[in-house]
Amino acid sequence: MRIRPSRLLAIARKEVIQLRRDVRSLAMAFVVPAAMVMFFGYVISFDVRDITLAVLDQDHSQRSRELVESFAASGRFRIVDRLSRSEDVAPLLDRGAIRMALVIPPGFERELGAGATAPVQAIIDGADANTAGISANYATAIVMAYSAKIVLRTTLAAAPVSAEARVWYNEALESPPMIVPGLVAVIMMIIAAMLTALTVAREWERGTMEQLAATPVHPAEVILGKLLPYLVIGLIDVAATILIGMFVFDVPFRGNPALLGIMTTMFLVGSLGLGIFISTVLRSQLLATQVAMLATFLPSVLLSGLMFDINAMPLPLRIISLAVPARFFITVMRGIFLKNVGIPVLWGQGLAMVAYAIIGLTLAVRAFRKEIA
C-alpha cells in the first residue's frame, strides 16, 4: 500500500469543509474542552479549609486558652461557638453547624504543671470521611506542636528530634496542580473520541459515502485524511487548556514542551482512531456519539487515577485500568507539568502511548470498508 499525500490532503480538505459547515461540531471542538477545564477545575477540590470548630473549655485556664488560640492561629480552623455544656456538642454536629468540637477537660493546666499527660478530646463529624481524616490530622499536628512548646518551656532544653517536612512539586498541597493536568488528559480523550465518532457515520447518513467509494483512495488514506484536521484541533485544544491551567489556576509548567507535544500527539491519534472505529462500525451519528461517550467518560474518570488512587482499588479493577489510556497520559501530564521528568522516567508511559496510537489507527483502518452494503 502506498499512501499518496495528494489524496490524503484532499480527504483532509474535504473534512475541513464539512466541519466548517457543522457549527455544533466546531463548538464541541473549540469551546467544550476549555469550558470543561474551567468548570471542573473550580468544582473538583480536595482542599479542606475553614473547618468550623466549637470549643468547650472546662478548665478556663491560661494554658487552655493558649491551646485554643493555637487552633485559631493555624488558619485551618474557624471558631464559631464557645460552649458551656457537653450536651450542646451533639446538636451542633447533627445540624452540620460545626465539623469538630474541641473539649478541654477540667484540670488541664494542673496536669501540665505536674508533668503529667493532659488529654484533650476532638469530636469530629465523620459523615465525610475525607474531610474528617484531614481535620483529625490538622488537630493532631496543632496539639503536638503545642505539646512540644510546653516541654521546651518546662525543661529549658531543646527537643532531641526535630522533623522538618518539605513537600516537592506541589509545595502548597493545593488541588489544582494535582487536578488540572489530569483533567486535560481525561477531557481530551472524551472530546477526541466524540469528534471523530461523527465522521464516517456522517458520510453514511448524508449519502456521500457512495461518492467516496467511487474514488480510488485507499481506506488508510481516508482514515488518515479524516483524522488529520481533528489532530490539529486536538493539539490546539491541549495547548489552550494548558494555558488555562497555567494562568487561571496557577499550575506551574516545569517540563519539556516538545516531549509533551510528542506524547500528546500519540495519545490524540489513539483517541481519534478509536472514535473513527466506533463511527465506522455503527454508521449512526447518534449511536456512535453515545457509545464514544460511554467508552471514554466512565473509564477515564473512574479508572485513570484522576480522582481515586488506583493502588487502593481491588486487584481486578487495577488490571482493568491498564486498558485505560488516560491512566498513562495522566502520569505523563503530571510528570512533565510538575516534576520536569523526561524519557528515563516516562518511557513506559511513552510506549503505552505509541501502542495506543497503533491500535487505534489499526482498528479504524481495518473496520473501514468502501463497499456499499
Side-chain angles (χ1 to χ4, degrees):
M1 177 194 71
R2 180 184 175 189
I3 295 179
R4 296 187 178 182
S6 58
R7 292 178 180 175
L8 193 150
L9 292 176
I11 295 294
R13 182 171 177 273
K14 171 180 175 296
E15 195 64 30
V16 170
I17 293 173
Q18 286 191 335
L19 189 59
R20 285 170 55 189
R21 294 171 179 168
D22 191 343
V23 178
R24 289 176 299 180
S25 294
L26 281 176
M28 184 190 300
F30 290 108
V31 178
V32 173
M36 289 178 74
V37 168
M38 292 286 289
F39 179 74
F40 288 110
Y42 281 115
V43 169
I44 301 175
S45 174
F46 299 108
D47 299 339
V48 178
R49 299 190 180 96
D50 199 30
I51 303 167
T52 49
L53 175 71
V55 175
L56 176 58
D57 184 358
Q58 297 173 318
D59 193 53
H60 302 290
S61 63
Q62 181 183 349
R63 292 291 171 83
S64 65
R65 286 191 291 274
E66 286 177 355
L67 179 60
V68 173
E69 181 59 29
S70 298
F71 274 81
S74 70
R76 300 290 182 181
F77 294 88
R78 178 166 56 91
I79 299 174
V80 297
D81 208 342
R82 293 181 184 272
L83 309 177
S84 57
R85 303 180 309 155
S86 59
E87 292 80 5
D88 295 335
V89 172
L92 291 174
L93 289 172
D94 290 344
R95 295 201 309 270
I98 60 171
R99 285 182 175 175
M100 192 172 90
L102 176 66
V103 180
I104 304 176
F108 177 74
E109 187 174 53
R110 185 180 64 250
E111 296 289 342
L112 287 179
T117 301
V120 295
Q121 186 178 27
I123 304 173
I124 304 171
D125 182 355
D128 182 344
N130 180 59
T131 302
I134 294 174
S135 301
N137 290 335
Y138 287 156
T140 302
I142 292 170
V143 171
M144 293 292 291
Y146 179 74
S147 179
K149 190 162 61 175
I150 294 296
V151 170
L152 290 177
R153 257 189 223 168
T154 53
T155 62
L156 298 178
V161 179
S162 175
E164 293 184 5
R166 183 173 297 174
V167 179
W168 286 10
Y169 312 127
N170 183 9
E171 292 78 4
L173 294 176
E174 294 180 336
S175 291
M178 180 185 71
I179 293 295
V180 171
L183 270 180
V184 175
V186 170
I187 289 171
M188 288 316 303
M189 180 166 183
I190 298 169
I191 295 298
M194 288 187 65
L195 280 174
T196 48
L198 302 174
T199 54
V200 178
R202 184 165 49 208
E203 300 278 2
W204 286 105
E205 291 187 357
R206 291 181 178 176
T208 54
M209 183 55 77
E210 290 84 351
Q211 300 171 8
L212 195 60
T215 63
V217 293
H218 190 275
E221 293 171 334
V222 175
I223 297 301
L224 292 175
K226 285 183 169 296
L227 186 145
L228 199 56
Y230 296 101
L231 177 61
V232 175
I233 291 173
L235 291 173
I236 293 173
D237 285 338
V238 171
T241 50
I242 286 175
L243 290 176
I244 290 174
M246 293 172 62
F247 294 106
V248 176
F249 296 101
D250 294 326
V251 180
F253 185 93
R254 302 184 174 112
N256 185 340
L259 177 61
L260 181 60
I262 295 171
M263 294 279 197
T264 301
T265 301
M266 294 295 105
F267 178 71
L268 288 176
V269 167
S271 299
L272 294 169
L274 175 64
I276 293 179
F277 168 71
I278 293 172
S279 182
T280 302
V281 171
L282 298 178
R283 299 187 179 187
S284 161
Q285 292 189 70
L286 177 61
L287 192 57
T289 304
Q290 293 174 339
V291 171
M293 172 65 86
L294 186 66
T296 56
F297 183 79
L298 289 178
S300 299
V301 172
L302 299 178
L303 299 176
S304 65
L306 172 65
M307 300 177 65
F308 309 107
D309 183 13
I310 293 176
N311 293 324
M313 296 179 182
L315 180 60
L317 290 181
R318 294 205 300 271
I319 295 173
I320 293 173
S321 73
L322 294 174
V324 179
R327 166 184 174 166
F328 301 99
F329 193 53
I330 284 178
T331 304
V332 170
M333 290 292 291
R334 287 176 176 164
I336 296 177
F337 237 99
L338 303 176
K339 301 181 179 179
N340 190 20
V341 295
I343 291 296
V345 174
L346 299 174
W347 65 269
Q349 287 76 18
L351 289 178
M353 295 296 99
V354 172
Y356 180 44
I358 293 173
I359 292 172
L361 275 181
T362 303
L363 286 175
V365 171
R366 286 189 173 275
F368 183 74
R369 295 286 184 274
K370 290 173 60 181
E371 290 85 0
I372 307 299

